[in-house]
């Protein structure tokens, strides 16, 4: 018996919630939960955790595209069945973790993974780059200003050496959000790749009456740029909205509320780069990422400008930062004027805040450095 | 479904990183509608713009969330993705799976949908990408009846809570993040499935201040593990670090020669409160000065451990920039016991106090952090029946614009201008 459309409520089960986590814990994890003493990364991508019982668990971390088919998930399951007693986990950053309960099981697992082409790269631990947290982009979303899976693929291809090594001053967390809604915490990332729009919404007067609550569309604009208006459609006057273009900051909130105000545009849309955010409380407090490159074009399929910009920032950081220093801590120590100079990024007025609480970011001290910006 | 030429996407098949294009192509061999996903994506790469229509409200009976409607704006070209709705399936805590469970889910998704997924969405759910409206109820029936699993949250409701891996495989976790996450998720099934809030609401559970699920940056209620007593020190292990026998930061920096380990430079001098020093070869910590940032513990995991009196710090109101700007969560309760012994009663009371107020005063699409900004932190502290304490702020205000209440001022606000003028000529 399955779903019966004639009696949709008969036999319906609801509000089960997620399955209990305990049934999915590998035996070595279940037996040692709460008893772990310390850990060590034995090689890039391989962690060893030691329990007070003397048990050890070895974790092999692999990258993934996040966007994956059931075909691919079944292959992941084949690997976990062959090596890990049929258990595995995913990390918050879209990595796959295969766990084994003794050291001698690690190399056969690594060999198996390596035999599967580029599907299961091992790495993403310690002072390196781990997988990019990202959103949907053109594969599924209706508001994106760029793609997600494509830019992530080309950036990770380019930075791959940093995924499989641990030679940076600290971990560098990269995240991508394909529009300002930011499904995911890109606003607190070492390097954030953010899709942005640069053209104000068009108004589809023919459609607006049927699909849009005008007061909601008007209230959706944080800067009051959307105003009530009238227009003529098929000889009849209708109520609609207009946009005061000078006040539009291209956030896209009006389009979220009103499908008759599309924003996306091949030339207008692209990527902004923000840097220096962090989530961890270690040493310094969590920080937001700051906008350093206001716009890079959507040059499909390989986004070369974005790839190059990120590599430049990463290499300047790798060369100059101290051990344990996150990107944002480094930028604050050397000063943002030095950050722009060392990363060879032109400074523009677009990096100067003029939204809410902007004054907090203006410099109100005589302390500065004589970088090339001072003419 | 016809195969489409994809010259742009084909360029994303090489390189060392896993290729979603190769994966989709392989899947298309057995699920022909995946060719239409590739075809439409290729068109987006050519046109440099999305080809999905705005919105579309679909769902299963009795739920107001868990499914996101999606329709193609070029369905004649790509009929296989005319409807391309997303299903959010609630993930198990910390995303551990048995292959048995994952394989069953794959079978279901192959039967009812495109076979394409995200493992996982940013909030934490398993995301099943792409199915038709008529498949939703049959899928939900099989998910609940055959697998005993359920949908996650979407829309203006409680979103699927998420946690770090916690005690399951981490020595630093100060409470059982998995159990807290599971318990609260089950406790609030109604709030997850039936939107009744002004906007979305998220809980995230991190076991320590390293905050591996980014609770402080993106959760409306951030529960972050901490301790009250002293960092536990193994002095013998400290000596091993100094002697260079244990790698710093658990081996995180092994890929570069940073020179021999220097405890002064790498630990003592980087401590934000300067509360550590050496006496001979003994490491000393003035724990009263420590703010439990985790740096020293991160660097010397075999020598230092969080204290034994453990609980969590509760912070409120994080969000991404839309609309009023990004906010980190603000510290509200410095230390709370988070324990299954009382079924997380204290945390549940705290959360419901927020909801009672926010459901009353929150505006449409206003996150609780924005409501807090609008009414001011002193008002929110009163709403929460908390004592104002300096731990809630970075620094005292630097303007003198205090909203004094009449009852706080001797004699009240009522005064007689004639009496005043009798003594003070105008």
């Amino acid at each position: 018996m399955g779903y019966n459309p004639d009696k949709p409520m008969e036999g319906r089960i609801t509000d089960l919630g997620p399955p209990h986590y305990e049934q999915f814990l590998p035996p070595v994890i279940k037996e040692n939960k709460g008893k772990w003493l310390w850990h060590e990364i034995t090689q890039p991508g391989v962690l060893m955790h030691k329990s007070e019982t003397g048990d050890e668990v070895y974790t092999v971390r692999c990258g993934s595209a996040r966007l994956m088919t059931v075909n691919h998930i079944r292959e992941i399951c084949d690997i976990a069945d062959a090596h890990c007693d049929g258990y595995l986990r995913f990390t918050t950053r879209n990595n796959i973790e295969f766990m084994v309960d003794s050291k001698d099981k690690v190399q056969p697992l690594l060999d198996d993974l390596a035999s599967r082409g580029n599907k299961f790269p091992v790495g993403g631990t310690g002072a390196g780059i781990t997988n990019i947290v990202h959103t949907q982009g053109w594969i599924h979303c209706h508001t994106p200003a760029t793609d997600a899976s494509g830019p992530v693929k080309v950036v990770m291809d380019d930075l791959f050496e940093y995924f499989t090594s641990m030679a940076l001053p600290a971990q560098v967390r990269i995240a991508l959000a394909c529009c300002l809604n930011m499904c995911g915490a890109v606003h607190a990332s070492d390097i954030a790749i953010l899709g942005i729009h640069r053209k104000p919404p068009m108004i589809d007067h023919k459609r607006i009456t049927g699909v849009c609550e005008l007061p909601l569309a008007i209230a959706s604009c944080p800067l009051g740029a959307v105003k009530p208006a009238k227009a003529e459609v098929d000889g009849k006057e209708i109520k609609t909205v207009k946009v005061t273009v000078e006040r539009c900051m291209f956030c896209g909130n009006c389009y979220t509320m009103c499908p008759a105000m599309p924003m996306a545009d091949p030339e207008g849309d692209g990527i902004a780069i923000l840097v220096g955010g962090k989530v961890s409380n270690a040493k310094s407090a969590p920080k937001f990422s700051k906008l350093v490159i206001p716009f890079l074009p959507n040059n499909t399929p390989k986004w070369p400008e974005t790839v190059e910009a990120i590599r430049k920032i990463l290499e300047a950081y790798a060369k100059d930062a101290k051990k344990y220093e996150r990107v944002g801590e480094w930028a604050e120590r050397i000063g943002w004027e030095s950050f722009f100079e060392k990363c060879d990024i032109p400074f523009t007025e677009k990096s100067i805040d003029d939204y809410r609480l902007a004054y907090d970011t203006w410099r109100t001290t005589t302390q500065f450095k004589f970088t090339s910006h001072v003419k | 479904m016809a195969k489409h030429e994809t010259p742009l996407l084909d360029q994303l098949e090489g390189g060392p990183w896993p290729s979603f294009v190769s994966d989709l192509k392989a899947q298309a061999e057995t699920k022909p509608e995946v060719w239409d996903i590739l075809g439409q994506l290729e068109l987006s790469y050519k046109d440099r713009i999305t080809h999905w229509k705005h919105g579309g409200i679909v769902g299963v009976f009795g739920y107001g969330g868990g499914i996101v409607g999606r329709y193609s704006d070029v369905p004649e070209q790509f009929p296989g993705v005319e409807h391309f709705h997303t299903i959010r399936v609630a993930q198990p805590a910390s995303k551990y799976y048995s292959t048995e469970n994952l394989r069953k889910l794959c079978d279901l998704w192959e039967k009812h949908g495109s076979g394409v997924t995200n493992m996982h969405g940013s909030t934490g759910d398993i995301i099943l990408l792409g199915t038709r409206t008529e498949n939703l109820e049959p899928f939900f029936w099989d998910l609940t009846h055959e697998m005993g699993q359920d949908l996650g949250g979407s829309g203006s409701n409680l979103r699927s809570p998420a946690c770090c891996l916690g005690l399951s495989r981490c020595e630093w976790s100060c409470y059982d993040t998995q159990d807290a996450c599971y318990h609260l998720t089950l406790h609030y099934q109604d709030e997850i499935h039936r939107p009744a809030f002004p906007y979305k609401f998220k809980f995230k559970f991190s076991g320590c201040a390293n905050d591996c699920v980014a609770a402080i940056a993106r959760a409306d209620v951030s529960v972050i593990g901490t301790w009250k007593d002293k960092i536990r020190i193994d002095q013998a292990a400290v000596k091993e670090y100094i002697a260079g026998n244990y790698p710093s930061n658990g081996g995180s920096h092994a890929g570069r020669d940073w020179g021999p380990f220097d405890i002064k430079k790498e630990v003592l001098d980087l401590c934000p409160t300067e509360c550590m020093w050496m006496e001979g070869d003994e490491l000393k910590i003035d724990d009263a000065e420590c703010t439990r940032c985790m740096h020293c513990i991160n660097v010397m995991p075999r020598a230092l451990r969080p204290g034994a009196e453990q609980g969590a710090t509760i912070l409120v109101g994080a969000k991404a920039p839309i609309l009023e700007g990004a906010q980190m969560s603000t510290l509200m309760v410095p230390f709370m016991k988070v324990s299954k012994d009382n079924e997380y009663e204290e945390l549940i009371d705290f959360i419901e106090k927020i909801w009672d107020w926010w459901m009353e005063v929150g505006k449409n699409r206003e996150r609780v952090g924005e409501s807090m900004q609008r009414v001011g932190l002193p008002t929110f502290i009163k709403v929460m029946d908390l004592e104002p304490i300096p731990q809630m702020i970075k620094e005292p205000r630097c303007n003198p614009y205090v909203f004094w209440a009449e009852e706080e001022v001797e004699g009240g606000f009522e005064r007689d201008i004639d009496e005043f003028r009798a003594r003070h000529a105008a």
Side-chain angles (χ1 to χ4, degrees), chain B residues 156-195:
Chain B
S156 292
N157 57 11
L158 178 62
R159 300 298 181 87
S160 300
C163 59
C164 70
L165 51 59
L167 296 171
S168 75
R169 207 196 63 205
C170 183
E171 65 270 30
W172 296 331
S173 189
C174 292
Y175 67 98
D176 190 339
T177 57
Q178 289 182 298
D179 197 75
C181 185
Y182 178 75
H183 187 94
L184 267 76
T185 306
L186 274 244
H187 189 76
Y188 289 123
Q189 283 295 297
D190 193 33
E191 285 76 4
I192 289 173
H193 291 134
R194 293 164 198 94

Side-chain angles (χ1 to χ4, degrees), chain A residues 162-177:
Chain A
Y162 296 103
F163 179 78
T164 54
S165 66
M166 303 189 292
L168 293 174
Q171 69 268 40
V172 174
R173 299 284 182 253
I174 305 179
L176 180 148

